[in-house]
Amino acid sequence: MAFHFLSDGTPLWYEERGQGRPLVLLQGLQFPSGYFWQHNIDALAANNRVIMVDLRGQGLSGKPIGGHNIARNAADLEEFFAALDLHDVLLAGVAFGGLVMLDYLKSAGSARLRALCLCEMTPRLMSAPDWPHPTFGDFPEEAANGYGDSVRADRSVLDGFLHAAFAEPLDPATLAEMKGQMFLSPTAIVADLIDDMVKQDFRADLPSISLPTLLLYGRKNNPVMPGEVGRWMAERIPHSVLVELDGGGHSVFWEDPAAFNAALDTFAAAH
């Protein structure tokens, strides 16, 4: 493991394993990458140079006061890529990580990238009259706009999301361990990021994605992404392939790692 210090002095934690073309993994909200990807890293590193990174404010990276939003994470990512002189990158992200990826494409372009993997994410979280695929199948604007404040008042409101993220109930020891890992990301930062997440709408940007794109979704008891948003996205991203896995839900990378790893590794080898 190592740290890259960004231009404002904030340290980004990262770890590299394996050799070959770079595969950069972006975690979902709150979890440290080393914990989040523990069922995937060794398998993926057999054929790839895998780089896990904790985004600003989360996990083992620095946590400055203020300025936490998706655009800043995307700018940090470009600075990180430049510092490591990364090119020909397969960039993969889950949920929140996928939103950062789409913002990165808008702001930095695709010059450093060869392909994308978007996993378990929706380009718009909130409900809208013209949007049938929000988070949880129904996330009204008033609820979305108040969710960050609810987290600030009582972080335990996130427990419901954690339970919903798994197709099968977690054993008590693992659940306690996960909650401890989540608290490495301060409540105020998580709430600020939630405030920014619910404002995002990347639907209009999808047809302009020119890179080969793997869309990975878990279809087993998945209340977080209950609809067919993956199929909707596959119809709009020109060079995309959709893989739906039956062995897990929103946390399919954890619940069905063999299938998840095989799908991503096969895609990486082909692109």
Side-chain angles (χ1 to χ4, degrees), residues 34-243:
Y35 185 84
F36 191 90
W37 298 110
Q38 63 180 278
H39 300 300
N40 318 107
I41 182 67
D42 289 337
L44 294 174
N47 298 309
N48 305 276
R49 176 191 176 192
V50 182
I51 302 170
M52 303 180 292
V53 57
D54 279 350
L55 296 169
R56 170 190 296 261
Q58 301 188 63
L60 300 179
S61 286
K63 302 167 178 69
I65 297 174
H68 295 282
N69 54 60
I70 289 170
R72 185 56 192 258
N73 283 161
D76 289 347
L77 192 61
E78 171 60 11
E79 189 177 331
F80 177 72
F81 283 177
L84 270 64
D85 194 28
L86 294 178
H87 299 274
D88 201 30
V89 174
L90 169 51
L91 182 58
V94 175
F96 172 80
L99 294 176
V100 174
M101 287 170 55
L102 294 181
D103 195 282
Y104 174 90
L105 282 176
K106 290 183 69 172
S107 60
S110 60
R112 293 184 180 275
L113 308 179
R114 74 177 193 269
L116 307 173
C117 173
L118 295 168
C119 177
E120 277 297 310
M121 59 87 61
T122 175
R124 177 188 170 99
L125 276 71
M126 283 197 299
S127 300
D130 63 342
W131 181 230
H133 303 298
T135 302
F136 287 100
D138 184 21
F139 197 18
E141 183 174 354
E142 58 271 22
N145 288 333
Y147 195 49
D149 283 340
S150 296
V151 171
R152 292 181 183 92
D154 181 2
R155 184 162 175 159
S156 67
V157 301
L158 290 171
D159 289 355
F161 179 86
L162 180 60
H163 291 294
F166 291 87
E168 301 293 341
L170 294 166
D171 67 84
T174 300
L175 182 61
E177 180 182 76
M178 284 188 174
K179 288 184 178 182
Q181 291 287 325
M182 290 161 65
F183 264 90
L184 291 173
S185 301
T187 301
I189 293 176
V190 173
D192 286 350
L193 291 173
I194 289 172
D195 284 344
D196 195 49
M197 289 171 67
V198 300
K199 299 174 185 175
Q200 304 300 318
D201 188 348
F202 290 102
R203 290 177 294 171
D205 301 300
L206 300 183
S208 65
I209 296 176
S210 60
L211 297 170
T213 303
L214 173 63
L215 301 168
L216 268 176
Y217 287 82
R219 303 311 300 149
K220 180 181 180 181
N221 186 22
N222 188 351
V224 180
M225 297 287 167
E228 297 185 351
V229 64
R231 298 180 187 184
W232 186 93
M233 292 175 66
E235 292 173 354
R236 287 156 178 81
I237 300 176
H239 307 289
S240 62
V241 57
L242 172 65
V243 175

